[in-house]
Amino acid sequence: MLRRKILSALYSIAALCGAGCATGSVEGKPREIAESREFDRAINSAMAAIEIIPGLAAAVWTPEGVYARGFGVTDIETGERVSEETLFYTASSTKSMTALAMEILDQRAEINLDETLAAYAPDAKFPAEIGADNIRLRDLLTHTSGIDNRALVIRSAITGQHSPKIDWKLLSTATVKAKSPTGTFAYTNAGYNILTVMTDRKIGKEWQDILQREIFDPAEMSGATARISGAVLAGRSIARPHFGASPDGVTRLLLEKTDATQQSAGGVYMSANDAVRWLELMINDGEVGGVQAVPASVVAAVKRPIANVGSSFAGYTRDAYALGWYVGRYRDEPMIHSFGSFAGTRSHVSFLPGLKTGVAIFVNDGSVGAKYADVIANYIYDTLAKRQDALALYDAGVASLIKARDQMIMGLAEDRKIRAGRKWKMSAPLASYAGRYDSPNFGEMVVEATNDRLRIRFGAAASIAEPFREEQDTVRVEFEPFSGEVIGFRVEPSGIVTGLNYSGERFIRTE
């Protein structure tokens, strides 16, 4: 609760000083849009009212001018202020950049996105049942391949227990998605991971370096990176992950991305200033600051609808999927967007081609702050379009988030109370479960027993185990904070623990 009061005080001060407290334009930078002060006021007042959003970065590009701001703090523990140069993890918004880079290579004939997996990588040991000779590289980028690879996704995004050699071997663990055969849209990280495992090996250059060479450098996105280690060494401001709607108050999360868990489906950090240039590149046919950073034909290709989707998300229609982008509508305007989320972070990147306007919002909160990203993006679009209901809809959206905040806090407190009442139902003393457990596909888990509790490490992720209901030798873990999963141990009649089961995979105890 103290942290919540500190955040509220910070936002109240910011709201009083208005645009003077936010980063303004300086000589050599693009001119600011006329609505900048209004957006400052709207964001500051909403964050003060919602109270639990640690930090936020906002970027807007229009032909008339730009807007780039930072609000709140990067880390509730340090109180460092967010600026327009602070790096935020963009999660799945990365897909739009990876797809653009691959389309660049395709148009330069360095790869052929219409080639099949079997033809492009004949030495890859894909299972026969997935039909590698019928799946194109392009299908991997449009989520229409009909295949998945749980082991590759977990190692790449969560545990970091992988290497080029391991990743190549894991191609053999690809599985058929029975409910979404090849040609049917089904969103997953696996397609992007599979593609870049192959291109890294075949081209001899890692996907991170391709993004840097083909996008970040030409567009002068000076902070954007797919390797966070360099930014850390350079002392860059980095937004840390939080969960605002915790019963304990705003909570700094320990699970953070590292180079090993930044992957091609979700691996880019960027700032508000970087996002302004990224939006300009996409809206202005590859031109940034008067320079053709990316061929116009490439930008046109990645925006072209390919796969039918027919769904909606957060009020936005999703009619189709292009290369890394959803194609749909916001109200009566065509919209192209690519969103992302991970523990303690959320990104909203979108643009309205008809109005030549784009918005990017980054939030370092995985609770209601994640939804606020869409609320403020909508308000920016409505304000720039001179809609009469812009403020009324915005105020209603903020009010609904305040209500959602209170409901979430109460719900999590009740869930915690229920879990605290559960009793261990283990066949052996807790110390008997300590050891190392290995899966050839998923990697290694390490179970430690201390002070009558179990701590389980899974590469870069870790969790304190809890009893799971009343099921024998079963525990609940949160490798991703506030997202429960189940681990079941295998115990012999003699009391010896021989292995565990997690996410349908069997782990063998090795020591």
Side-chain angles (χ1 to χ4, degrees):
M1 188 61 68
L2 177 60
R3 292 179 179 179
R4 184 165 159 181
K5 290 180 179 178
I6 291 172
L7 284 174
S8 182
L10 285 171
Y11 302 144
S12 297
I13 293 170
L16 287 172
C17 67
C21 290
T23 305
S25 61
V26 297
E27 187 176 352
K29 288 189 176 183
R31 66 181 179 278
E32 287 194 347
I33 54 179
E35 296 81 2
S36 293
R37 286 182 177 273
E38 171 55 26
F39 296 154
D40 291 338
R41 182 209 63 78
I43 295 172
N44 278 318
S45 62
M47 291 179 71
I50 297 171
E51 298 185 309
I52 62 172
I53 303 174
L56 177 148
V60 180
W61 188 90
T62 75
E64 290 73 36
V66 305
Y67 176 79
R69 291 286 196 272
F71 301 85
V73 297
T74 67
D75 186 340
I76 188 65
E77 303 292 348
T78 67
E80 178 194 9
R81 300 292 295 176
V82 175
S83 79
E84 74 276 20
E85 290 289 347
T86 296
L87 300 179
F88 281 76
Y89 178 58
T90 66
S92 285
S93 294
T94 297
K95 291 180 176 69
S96 59
M97 293 169 247
T98 301
L100 182 73
M102 293 299 147
E103 180 64 25
I104 292 172
L105 299 185
D106 177 78
Q107 293 200 15
R108 279 211 306 258
E110 293 185 29
I111 62 173
N112 179 0
L113 290 178
D114 291 314
E115 194 169 21
T116 67
L117 275 58
Y120 183 70
D123 50 339
K125 298 186 182 304
F126 287 106
E129 60 268 22
I130 74 165
D133 54 348
N134 292 318
I135 301 170
R136 303 171 302 164
L137 303 187
R138 191 180 304 278
D139 299 329
L140 298 173
L141 294 176
T142 58
H143 307 291
T144 57
S145 67
I147 62 175
D148 204 351
N149 195 316
R150 179 75 171 145
L152 182 60
V153 168
I154 287 177
R155 285 181 182 256
S156 299
I158 304 297
T159 72
Q161 295 181 353
H162 67 107
S163 66
K165 183 178 180 180
I166 290 174
D167 293 344
W168 187 257
K169 185 177 180 181
L170 287 175
L171 294 180
S172 66
T173 67
T175 57
V176 174
K177 301 182 75 172
K179 295 183 179 180
S180 51
T182 302
T184 304
F185 178 86
Y187 189 88
T188 176
N189 284 346
Y192 282 70
N193 294 158
I194 292 170
L195 177 59
T196 51
V197 167
M198 294 189 295
T199 56
D200 284 2
R201 182 181 176 102
K202 301 286 288 186
I203 296 173
K205 185 174 287 292
E206 295 180 327
W207 67 270
Q208 298 96 323
D209 299 317
I210 294 173
L211 263 60
Q212 190 71 45
R213 181 189 70 190
E214 304 294 346
I215 302 174
F216 303 154
D217 288 345
E220 296 186 2
M221 297 165 62
S222 59
T225 181
R227 289 193 179 93
I228 194 60
S229 59
V232 171
L233 288 173
R236 292 292 304 271
S237 173
I238 302 170
R240 308 297 183 177
H242 296 75
F243 192 90
S246 167
D248 301 320
V250 181
T251 302
R252 166 85 147 76
L253 303 183
L254 297 179
L255 180 63
E256 284 194 80
K257 286 292 179 176
T258 66
D259 287 354
T261 56
Q262 286 177 258
Q263 34 83 32
S264 59
V268 169
Y269 279 78
M270 70 164 61
S271 67
N273 279 343
D274 295 323
V276 166
R277 301 184 72 82
W278 174 236
L279 291 168
E280 181 180 5
L281 183 152
M282 290 305 305
I283 297 168
N284 221 23
D285 299 324
E287 187 175 304
V288 182
V291 176
Q292 196 70 41
V294 173
S297 59
V298 171
V299 177
V302 299
K303 293 189 287 188
R304 189 176 302 124
I306 297 176
N308 292 327
V309 177
S311 68
S312 63
F313 177 84
Y316 309 109
T317 62
R318 290 177 164 177
D319 300 322
Y321 197 80
L323 289 179
W325 296 95
Y326 283 101
V327 179
R329 304 183 75 82
Y330 168 62
R331 299 185 74 163
D332 58 353
E333 283 291 332
M335 170 187 261
I336 298 177
H337 64 275
S338 180
F339 301 161
S341 62
F342 188 68
T345 62
R346 170 76 199 289
S347 66
H348 170 122
V349 182
S350 64
F351 56 97
L352 308 181
L355 300 181
K356 293 183 73 69
T357 299
V359 175
I361 306 294
F362 307 129
V363 184
N364 61 341
D365 172 39
S367 64
V368 296
K371 296 181 179 179
Y372 177 66
D374 303 320
V375 172
I376 186 57
N378 294 348
Y379 177 69
I380 291 171
Y381 282 131
D382 291 344
T383 299
L384 293 176
K386 310 298 183 185
R387 295 184 184 274
Q388 295 299 311
D389 59 356
L391 184 58
L393 289 176
Y394 180 65
D395 287 344
V398 172
S400 71
L401 292 180
I402 293 172
K403 182 178 180 180
R405 173 201 68 194
D406 295 340
Q407 291 175 338
M408 187 175 292
I409 292 172
M410 288 189 293
L412 289 173
E414 180 62 25
D415 180 63
R416 180 181 293 179
K417 181 179 178 181
I418 292 172
R419 296 192 338 247
R422 294 173 181 168
K423 304 298 182 182
W424 290 105
K425 192 173 183 182
M426 311 298 275
S427 301
L430 290 186
S432 301
Y433 298 84
R436 295 181 179 274
Y437 299 79
D438 182 72
S439 157
N441 295 338
F442 280 36
E444 183 183 65
M445 281 193 196
V446 178
V447 180
E448 301 166 339
T450 56
N451 300 323
D452 295 324
R453 67 179 186 177
L454 297 177
R455 180 175 185 268
I456 303 178
R457 290 187 286 114
F458 194 17
S463 176
I464 300 298
E466 303 174 354
F468 179 66
R469 298 175 184 167
E470 298 298 326
E471 297 181 25
Q472 188 79 25
D473 293 313
T474 302
V475 300
R476 178 187 183 275
V477 293
E478 291 186 359
F479 291 131
E480 291 186 59
F482 298 92
S483 179
E485 296 182 282
V486 178
I487 290 176
F489 289 93
R490 298 195 301 276
V491 184
E492 299 299 320
S494 62
I496 298 175
V497 183
T498 59
L500 62 83
N501 298 322
Y502 166 75
S503 192
E505 185 75 7
R506 292 173 63 88
F507 288 67
I508 303 299
R509 186 171 183 172
T510 57
E511 66 175 62

